Amino acid sequence: MKKILVAEDEQNIREFVVINLERAGYHAFEAASGDEAMALYERENGDFDVAVLDIMMPGAMDGLAVCKELRRKNSSIGIILLSARTQEMDKVSGLMMGADDYVTKPFSPSELVARVDAVYRRGGLGGGGTFMAAEKSENNLRDELLSGEFALNLRNRSFLKSGKLVELTQVEFQIMEYFFSNPGVALSRGDILKHVWGAGYVGEEKIVDVNIRRLRMKVEDEPSNPRHIVTVWGLGYRWEV
C-alpha cells in the first residue's frame, strides 16, 4: 500500500490534495498542523512513503520544521513542500533541510500527482521495479560503483566515504549515481534535472543547485572549496576524484 502523509492547515486545499491522491492509488493520512503530522508519523511507526507538507502551518512546527524532523528520522521518505509564490527563501530552506521537491500554489491535480509519483518511484520506493532495473542496466548490472575513496552500493542504497557511511536522501543518491557513471564529464543542470527528476519535470533548475550545495556539505572536506563536485561555470557540475 502506498502511504502518504498530507499536512495542510487549509481544509479545502487539504481535501483537494487527499481526494486526488487517493484517486491515484495512495492511502492518505491527513494532518491540519505540523504537530498533528508528527503525531501521525509516530502513531504509524514512520511507515510512510511520501509526505506532502505545506510550508506555512500554525502551531509549534511549521512545514519546514516537520521536513527537518522527518528527514532526521528517515532518509528514504519522499518529501514534497507546498508553497506560495512569495515563499522563495522558504523553498530553498526546505530543500536544504532535505525536501525532494516543492510545488507552488496554485497547482493542478495532474501536476501534484505527477510529482508525488516521481518521488514515490525514486530509488525503488515503489518496490524496486522498473526504476531499479533501468538503473542497473545503465551501470552494467553492477551492484557497486567505486570512485576514489567513495563507494556507492546500488543494492542497499548506501554511500561510503573512506569506509564511513554517509546518509543521503534518495535525490542525493541519484545525483551521486549519475556523477559516478560519468566521471570527469561536465553535466549540465538540465542533464541532472532530467536524469534525477525525470523528463517531464516542470520545476526550476535551481533545485539542482540547492541539492549540490547539500551534497557538498556531506561529501567534501571543505564544502566552500570543493575538490570532487566541481562547478562548470555557465553549465553545471563535474565529478572529479
Side-chain angles (χ1 to χ4, degrees):
M1 182 182 295
K2 301 186 292 185
K3 293 176 66 175
I4 187 166
L5 175 61
V6 178
E8 164 65 66
D9 63 305
E10 293 188 46
Q11 184 177 351
N12 59 335
I13 297 178
R14 187 173 68 251
E15 291 176 351
F16 169 79
V17 169
V18 168
I19 287 172
N20 283 282
L21 288 173
E22 292 192 334
R23 284 176 179 169
Y26 292 90
H27 181 35
F29 290 73
E30 300 179 48
S33 68
D35 302 284
E36 188 178 336
M38 289 309 305
L40 262 175
Y41 181 85
E42 297 296 341
R43 192 187 75 192
E44 295 295 316
N45 297 313
D47 185 24
F48 287 99
D49 300 302
V50 182
V52 176
L53 312 171
D54 182 36
I55 288 181
M56 296 295 290
M57 288 189 290
M61 299 186 76
D62 61 8
L64 296 180
V66 175
C67 173
K68 183 178 182 179
E69 184 65 10
L70 288 180
R71 186 55 74 215
R72 185 184 69 81
K73 292 175 176 289
N74 189 339
S75 63
S76 65
I77 187 172
I79 301 176
I80 296 177
L81 298 176
L82 303 180
S83 68
R85 294 186 185 278
T86 57
Q87 295 169 323
E88 198 66 26
M89 287 307 299
D90 286 338
K91 294 174 187 176
V92 174
S93 297
L95 292 171
M96 287 301 293
M97 289 176 183
D100 297 291
D101 200 356
Y102 60 82
V103 178
T104 302
K105 300 176 183 178
F107 49 83
S108 68
S110 59
E111 178 189 4
L112 177 65
V113 171
R115 297 287 187 91
V116 171
D117 283 344
V119 168
Y120 178 78
R121 290 192 303 267
R122 184 169 293 134
L125 285 175
T130 57
F131 180 91
M132 286 296 289
E135 184 180 71
K136 288 206 169 199
S137 174
E138 289 176 9
N139 291 296
N140 300 319
L141 301 178
R142 287 180 293 170
D143 289 332
E144 190 172 55
L145 299 177
L146 303 176
S147 183
E149 64 182 308
F150 303 95
L152 199 68
N153 190 298
L154 303 179
R155 182 177 292 276
N156 61 25
R157 313 294 287 173
S158 64
F159 177 67
L160 301 178
K161 177 182 179 180
S162 299
K164 295 182 179 179
L165 182 66
V166 178
E167 290 286 348
L168 298 183
T169 67
Q170 296 296 342
V171 165
E172 292 166 349
F173 189 94
Q174 278 188 262
I175 293 175
M176 292 307 301
E177 178 268 332
Y178 196 33
F179 278 146
F180 275 34
S181 300
N182 297 275
V185 178
L187 301 173
S188 72
R189 291 173 177 83
D191 290 335
I192 298 171
L193 197 69
K194 182 178 179 180
H195 180 84
V196 176
W197 283 268
Y201 185 76
V202 295
E204 303 169 32
E205 289 187 352
K206 68 181 176 183
I207 195 172
V208 174
D209 297 324
V210 178
N211 276 278
I212 292 297
R213 283 170 55 194
R214 208 167 64 191
L215 264 175
R216 281 173 170 165
M217 293 171 65
K218 298 180 178 183
V219 170
E220 303 285 356
D221 293 329
E222 297 180 52
S224 59
N225 185 30
R227 294 193 305 112
H228 303 295
I229 305 176
V230 180
T231 298
V232 180
W233 296 107
L235 180 69
Y237 302 95
R238 184 179 66 248
W239 175 256
E240 297 285 358
V241 181

